[in-house]
Amino acid sequence: CFAVMAKGLGFWGLVGAVFFATAGGPYNIEPAIQAAGAWPAVLTQLCVSLFWSFPVALVATELSAAIPMNGGRILWAQKAFVSHPWFADMLAFIMGSLIALHALIDLAVYPGLVRTYLGQATGGECPEWVGFTALAIAVVLNLQDLDLVGKALVIFGACVILPFMVIVVEAVPLVPAGYEVMLQSTPRIDYAVLLSTVIWNNSGYDICSVSAGDIDDVQHTLLPAMGLTCLLVAIQYMVPMALGTVVDPHFSHWTNGHFSEVGALAVGEWFRDVMAVGGVFASMGLM
C-alpha cells in the first residue's frame, strides 16, 4: 500500500515539521536567561538536549519505524496492551483526548502571537481579523499534500533562523570584550521558570509518529532527520542565548520577545521589524 500512496514527507519536510513541533525558533526561550543568567540557561539547554530531547527522539523514531502507521501514541497504547483489548482501547481514548486537548489549548495561542509580532513590525495594534486570517491560511496549508506542507515549513524555518544568524554574526566581534557575561548567573536562580521554559521549548519530538505512515521510506528517512533536528534545535537555542547576553548583559531585560530588542541593539533599529516578521513565520509554522 505504501508503494501507491501519494508523495509524503521527505527528509527536509520531516526536519521542518519536527522543528516547528518542537521549537519553531529561539523565540520565547528568553525567560530562561532572566531566571538564571547566561551559563546556567545554556547548560540547562545542553543537558535537556542530551538527556531529554535525544532519548525521546530515539524512542519516537524506533516506535514509528516499527509501526509505520498514522496515529502515533494512540497506536502505541493499543499495541502495548493488545492482550487486554478493553484496557488498550481505554488508554487509546485517553491518549487521543489528551492530544486533542493539548492541540486546542496550544494552537489557540498562535493567532494572537501573529497579531503581536505584526503589530511590532507595523508600529500599531493589528485587528482581530489578522489572527483569523493567519489561522485560515494555516488550515488551508495543512489540508494540502504533505510534501507541500513540508516544503512550506522548510521555507518558514529558514525565515525564522536567518535573523538569528545575523545577530550571531554581529555579536561575535563583541565576545572578546564581553565574554565574562556569558560566565555569569543571576544572584538567585529561579529553577521552576528555568526548567519549565527549557523543557517546554524542547517538547514535541514524538510528532513524527502522528504521520509515520506518510513518511517516505520511513526506515531510512526518520533516524537521520530526527538526529539533524535534535542537533539543529539545540544549537539554535544555545548559540543565540550565549551571544545574545553579550549584546545585552542585563538579565532582567530578558522577557518574552526580548530577542527583537537584542536584534535592534546588535544590528540596528530597523532589524527589530525583521525579528518581528521572523516571529510571524514562527507562529505560522507552529500552527
Side-chain angles (χ1 to χ4, degrees):
C1 63
F2 295 107
V4 297
M5 64 181 289
K7 189 174 182 181
L9 278 174
F11 177 83
W12 289 109
L14 182 58
V15 170
V18 178
F19 173 78
F20 276 105
T22 306
Y27 295 97
N28 301 320
I29 196 68
E30 298 97 333
I33 296 175
Q34 185 185 49
W39 76 263
V42 174
L43 179 61
T44 301
Q45 173 59 52
L46 177 61
C47 291
V48 168
S49 295
L50 291 175
F51 302 112
W52 167 257
S53 299
F54 282 103
V56 169
L58 286 174
V59 170
T61 298
E62 182 176 4
L63 289 174
S64 297
I67 311 173
M69 301 169 62
N70 294 344
R73 289 162 285 179
I74 298 174
L75 291 178
W76 300 349
Q78 287 181 320
K79 292 185 178 296
F81 298 94
V82 67
S83 58
H84 304 282
W86 67 270
F87 187 61
D89 291 341
M90 181 183 70
L91 285 181
F93 175 78
I94 293 173
M95 185 65 70
S97 300
L98 290 175
I99 293 172
L101 180 62
H102 171 269
L104 182 65
I105 295 173
D106 191 46
L107 296 179
V109 175
Y110 302 121
L113 286 177
V114 170
R115 291 180 58 203
T116 299
Y117 285 123
L118 280 178
Q120 291 178 2
T122 59
E125 184 177 353
C126 286
E128 291 185 359
W129 64 263
V130 172
F132 287 109
T133 302
L135 181 60
I137 294 173
V139 170
V140 171
L141 180 60
N142 278 283
L143 291 175
Q144 305 307 307
D145 185 81
L146 275 177
D147 181 54
L148 177 61
V149 174
K151 290 177 180 177
L153 290 176
V154 170
I155 295 173
F156 285 7
C159 293
V160 171
I161 291 176
L162 283 175
F164 287 93
M165 293 178 64
V166 174
I167 292 177
V168 168
V169 170
E170 292 292 329
V172 167
L174 304 177
V175 172
Y179 73 92
E180 291 183 356
V181 71
M182 293 191 292
L183 306 177
Q184 297 176 0
S185 64
T186 57
R188 183 177 180 180
I189 296 177
D190 188 338
Y191 289 100
V193 173
L194 172 64
L195 293 174
S196 62
T197 299
V198 175
I199 292 175
W200 174 259
N201 281 281
N202 285 269
S203 299
Y205 284 102
D206 57 336
I207 193 66
C208 65
S209 65
V210 175
S211 301
D214 294 325
I215 298 173
D216 293 338
D217 193 10
V218 61
Q219 277 79 14
H220 295 93
T221 302
L222 193 52
L223 182 58
M226 293 291 281
L228 177 60
T229 307
C230 286
L231 185 62
L232 175 62
V233 169
I235 292 174
Q236 61 97 41
Y237 278 136
M238 290 190 295
V239 175
M241 279 198 294
L243 294 179
T245 55
V246 176
V247 177
D248 186 355
H250 304 288
F251 299 145
S252 60
H253 294 173
W254 285 80
T255 56
N256 274 326
H258 188 63
F259 268 120
S260 295
E261 299 301 321
V262 173
L265 291 172
V267 184
E269 285 295 324
W270 63 273
F271 203 72
R272 182 183 285 106
D273 295 341
V274 175
M275 294 297 295
V277 172
V280 171
F281 279 105
S283 301
M284 291 294 296
L286 288 164
M287 285 194 279

